Amino acid sequence: TGVQTCALPISLGESLFFTADNDQSTAVFEYQFSEDSFTNTAVDISKHVETYIPAPVIRIEGDSASGTLALLSSTERNRLYLYRFFFNDTEKVQSAWFRWTLGATTSDAYILGHTYMSNYLYVVVRRGTKTFLERFVATNEFGDESSEYLITVTIDGVAFRWPVRLDRRCLVTGSYNSGTGLTTWTIPYPHGNSVVGILTDSFTSPGKKLVLNYPTSTTVTASGDYTGHNVIFGVPYTMSVQMSGQYVIDNNKQRRSEEHTSELQSRFG
């Protein structure tokens, strides 16, 4: 294993992150210096996902506010590999690796670069013959009540604000043709007949998914008059999760021995 020189190390808070090649995959290390004990430690934070990140990593960017790293590999330019962590004082209590696939192949999406800025992750990506600047919310979107991508959902008389989960989201105002009875929207990118439309809180039925037709590569239509307000458009995505093993720890934060047969149940929602 050798230190990877393609990607420059990055400092977040009191930690320095850098990568090292290991056969066909990349290991990511977190380096820290303890002023109390005058010791240096470099921990492999990707040890439990040894073959997950393909080598070589050519760019590392990070955001201290959200506790996130974003890595780009030269062998998978259609994906970003991300690491998110949470500290309670000086103790890291939670962390997870995940990846975003921006296109099925590098012909669909070729990432040219990325960086964090002002609560967003900005990505320059080439899609076909066009290049786009796309951004992703770095921190929890639930905290931004002013976001137009949040809709109000009422459950048992209680109103909740929920973000619309779509890729490449955009707000578009349509134009209505009384002769055809159709509202037409122009999407700012080729939609591939996969974009969906969701009504915002400005409409009487927020959260409604429109039934769309795709007359051209950048326009969509729906029956009825939906003018006067923005509609949320975006591309649906698939998310899958592989959870770490769950176990009970003792007062010394060590895994307790299996004294009894038990069953783990997880609740969603």
Side-chain angles (χ1 to χ4, degrees), residues 211-227:
V211 178
L212 298 177
N213 294 300
Y214 308 94
T216 72
S217 62
T218 57
T219 61
V220 297
T221 62
S223 297
D225 186 357
Y226 296 99
T227 57

Side-chain angles (χ1 to χ4, degrees), residues 50-65:
E50 288 183 325
T51 61
Y52 190 61
I53 308 166
V57 169
I58 58 175
R59 187 178 182 89
I60 309 173
E61 293 291 336
D63 177 61
S64 57

Side-chain angles (χ1 to χ4, degrees), residues 92-128:
K92 184 187 292 184
V93 295
Q94 195 172 36
S95 64
W97 281 100
F98 55 102
R99 68 186 179 191
W100 290 343
T101 302
L102 303 191
T105 67
T106 52
S107 297
D108 300 315
Y110 186 91
I111 299 173
L112 300 171
H114 66 288
T115 190
Y116 282 96
M117 188 184 304
S118 301
N119 196 35
Y120 288 98
L121 170 61
Y122 289 87
V123 182
V124 180
V125 54
R126 185 170 63 235
R127 297 181 181 273

Side-chain angles (χ1 to χ4, degrees), residues 149-211:
Y149 294 110
L150 271 66
I151 59 173
T152 302
V153 178
T154 302
I155 302 175
D156 295 331
V158 180
F160 297 91
R161 297 272 284 165
W162 296 97
V164 175
R165 303 295 191 184
L166 294 170
D167 275 344
R168 309 190 75 187
R169 295 180 307 185
C170 56
L171 294 165
V172 185
T173 301
S175 60
Y176 179 67
N177 186 319
S178 58
T180 61
L182 298 175
T183 301
T184 301
W185 297 268
T186 300
I187 310 301
Y189 53 82
H191 52 61
N193 294 0
S194 60
V195 70
V196 299
I198 306 295
L199 297 185
T200 61
D201 277 358
S202 299
F203 292 90
T204 57
S205 52
K208 176 183 176 180
K209 180 180 177 181
L210 297 175
V211 178

Side-chain angles (χ1 to χ4, degrees), residues 15-141:
S15 298
L16 179 73
F17 297 90
F18 62 92
T19 60
D21 285 339
N22 184 9
D23 296 328
Q24 301 299 314
S25 60
T26 292
V28 183
F29 290 86
E30 180 179 3
Y31 171 86
Q32 291 182 318
F33 172 74
S34 174
E35 294 184 352
D36 296 331
S37 59
F38 295 100
T39 57
N40 303 310
T41 57
V43 178
D44 183 356
I45 58 175
S46 58
K47 183 68 175 178
H48 60 296
V49 287
E50 288 183 325
T51 61
Y52 190 61
I53 308 166
V57 169
I58 58 175
R59 187 178 182 89
I60 309 173
E61 293 291 336
D63 177 61
S64 57
S66 61
T68 309
L69 294 177
L71 293 77
L72 176 64
S73 170
S74 65
T75 55
E76 291 190 6
R77 297 294 290 263
N78 60 324
R79 285 174 170 163
L80 286 175
Y81 285 80
L82 297 101
Y83 175 71
R84 179 161 290 176
F85 52 92
F86 175 72
F87 275 92
N88 183 13
D89 292 328
T90 59
E91 180 186 5
K92 184 187 292 184
V93 295
Q94 195 172 36
S95 64
W97 281 100
F98 55 102
R99 68 186 179 191
W100 290 343
T101 302
L102 303 191
T105 67
T106 52
S107 297
D108 300 315
Y110 186 91
I111 299 173
L112 300 171
H114 66 288
T115 190
Y116 282 96
M117 188 184 304
S118 301
N119 196 35
Y120 288 98
L121 170 61
Y122 289 87
V123 182
V124 180
V125 54
R126 185 170 63 235
R127 297 181 181 273
T129 60
K130 296 184 177 182
T131 301
F132 297 87
L133 176 62
E134 302 181 4
R135 71 178 190 178
F136 303 83
V137 178
T139 54
N140 191 348
E141 196 172 15

